[in-house]
Amino acid sequence: MTESFRRDGEHPQENGPTQSAPLGGAYPPPPAYPPPAAPGWHEAHQPPAAPATTAPPEGPAHAARAKRPVALLVAVALAAAVVGGGTAAAVQQLLDSQARSGGGVTGTNVSQSNSGTVSGVAENVSPSVVRIDTRTGSGQGTGSGIVVTADGEIVTNNHVIDGATEIQVTMSDGKKYPAKTVGTDPDKDLALIKLQGASNLKPAKLGDSDGLKVGDQVVAIGSPDRLTGTVTSGIVSALNREVNVPKSEQQAPQRQRSNGGWPFSYDGQQFNGNTGSNTTSYKAVQTDASLNPGNSGGALVNMNGEIVGMPSAIYSPSSDGSTAGSVGLGFAIPVNTIKADLASLRKGGTGTGNSGSSNNSGSAADGFGTSY
């Protein structure tokens, strides 16, 4: 902000004959003789009489006084321009400094990249997450899986493919493949299947679940109720939740299919039906990302696009299938458990509860049911 000061006499009074005080300060004493008649406005502004050798010409002096307001305005404008130019220069220097230091963020940079966003994670990881439809002796089921090799290895939950006589996998682009079971590990609720005739698939990047912290943002990708490629987001709500699940669907005869939730127990309580007597436990990643029946075997992903867990159990407070759904209590197998088990699964795994599914292959037809 600039300030301006007005010198006495620079702005003449429009309506008064008052004479400005001399620059020296006090007025001289009154003369001993009567003063002359009060002059008019013009006379009052005439320069005082002076010796001819020192008095300037009347015309130029009057012109200089007349131009002073204009000169003052020009000076103020120049000062404002200098201040404005200085502000612009300071802003430009700040932007240049930020650009050199990498701290500047412009609209162009943001709009050109969706890295670290839910949409960016979904775009990068969705091609590596599949829908798995199965036929069993007791009905049909739907789950999800994660692509781990370009030639079609898919890791999923054991309870998704347990007892399957036919397995069909649907990719994110809608392409379908029959699949067979390679190996299962009911103790960890994990299984590995292999697509037939697949190539050039996009494997998921497996991250490090040991690096997770409560509050980390995560994205869940799966196929709840056969809705392929559904994306939800949330945070890591807790770590190392020890949950108990049945080792296989066949060993959970009291499972309540009406609510669609895979039964599990926690802290001595049963959820989503009776888990039966033959259960296994693991320390899960808890998340509030919306999970629903069909998300089992899918992906829980961090904001770097890395798989950090596999959704495997949800809590549903209702036994009525029409009202059952996510209430923000979902549990996922840590990805480090999956990575440690892959070699064993490729050799057939430790499971004995496959119900003959280990060598089954499918050319399953479309139209599998929507039960879990």
Side-chain angles (χ1 to χ4, degrees):
M1 182 179 69
T2 59
E3 296 181 4
S4 60
F5 299 91
R6 190 193 326 174
R7 294 187 179 89
D8 291 339
E10 285 191 344
H11 296 284
Q13 299 293 326
E14 294 292 338
N15 300 318
T18 305
Q19 186 172 354
S20 300
L23 296 176
Y27 286 95
Y33 51 83
W41 184 92
H42 182 74
E43 288 80 0
H45 290 76
Q46 290 296 326
T53 56
T54 59
E58 291 186 4
H62 183 76
R65 288 181 177 273
K67 292 179 180 178
R68 281 181 180 177
V70 176
L72 178 61
L73 293 175
V74 172
V76 172
L78 289 174
V82 170
V83 172
T87 303
V91 171
Q92 185 61 45
Q93 290 175 359
L94 176 62
L95 293 176
D96 291 343
S97 174
Q98 289 178 340
R100 288 193 297 271
S101 65
V105 178
T106 66
T108 300
N109 289 342
V110 172
S111 63
Q112 287 180 346
S113 174
N114 58 3
S115 178
T117 65
V118 174
S119 60
V121 170
E123 181 179 356
N124 292 330
V125 182
S126 289
S128 304
V129 183
V130 303
R131 187 182 89 213
I132 300 176
D133 294 312
T134 62
R135 289 188 188 277
T136 69
S138 58
Q140 303 157 347
T142 297
S144 304
I146 302 169
V147 178
V148 292
T149 63
D151 62 351
E153 283 187 348
I154 309 289
V155 65
T156 185
N157 283 136
N158 178 68
H159 74 256
V160 169
I161 56 87
D162 180 66
T165 57
E166 295 180 48
I167 303 174
Q168 177 182 268
V169 171
T170 303
M171 310 301 296
S172 63
D173 60 2
K175 190 170 184 179
K176 294 178 172 59
Y177 294 94
K180 66 179 181 180
T181 302
V182 175
T184 63
D185 188 346
D187 289 334
K188 294 183 176 65
D189 195 18
L190 293 174
L192 186 70
I193 63 175
K194 180 70 180 292
L195 306 187
Q196 295 180 303
S199 61
N200 299 320
L201 304 183
K202 182 180 180 180
K205 183 177 181 181
L206 304 183
D208 180 10
S209 51
D210 288 343
L212 284 175
K213 296 180 180 179
V214 174
D216 283 350
Q217 189 174 4
V218 288
V219 175
I221 306 176
S223 302
D225 286 329
R226 302 186 79 241
L227 299 174
T228 307
T230 296
V231 176
T232 58
S233 65
I235 62 169
V236 174
S237 303
L239 296 169
N240 299 318
R241 293 293 200 201
E242 189 166 347
V243 297
N244 299 288
V245 297
K247 285 190 175 183
S248 75
E249 182 171 324
Q250 307 302 314
Q251 295 168 352
Q254 300 179 50
R255 175 184 176 191
Q256 298 177 2
R257 286 184 174 272
S258 61
N259 73 2
W262 180 243
F264 73 97
S265 62
Y266 174 74
D267 198 24
Q269 300 183 61
Q270 301 276 351
F271 300 98
N272 306 340
N274 195 322
T275 57
S277 58
N278 195 358
T279 63
T280 186
S281 65
Y282 55 85
K283 292 186 177 181
V285 177
Q286 182 181 329
T287 180
D288 70 346
S290 180
L291 302 177
N292 289 284
N295 274 108
S296 283
L300 190 69
V301 193
N302 66 17
M303 301 312 291
N304 294 323
E306 300 167 335
I307 309 298
V308 293
M310 175 186 289
S312 55
I314 63 171
Y315 167 64
S316 180
S318 173
S319 60
D320 181 357
S322 64
T323 59
S326 172
V327 293
L329 293 174
F331 304 93
I333 298 172
V335 72
N336 286 1
T337 301
I338 300 170
K339 292 192 295 184
D341 207 34
L342 275 176
S344 174
L345 290 172
R346 288 179 174 128
K347 296 176 181 178
T350 62
T352 58
N354 297 341
S355 298
S357 63
S358 59
N359 293 317
N360 287 339
S361 62
S363 55
D366 294 342
F368 280 14
T370 58
S371 63
Y372 194 80

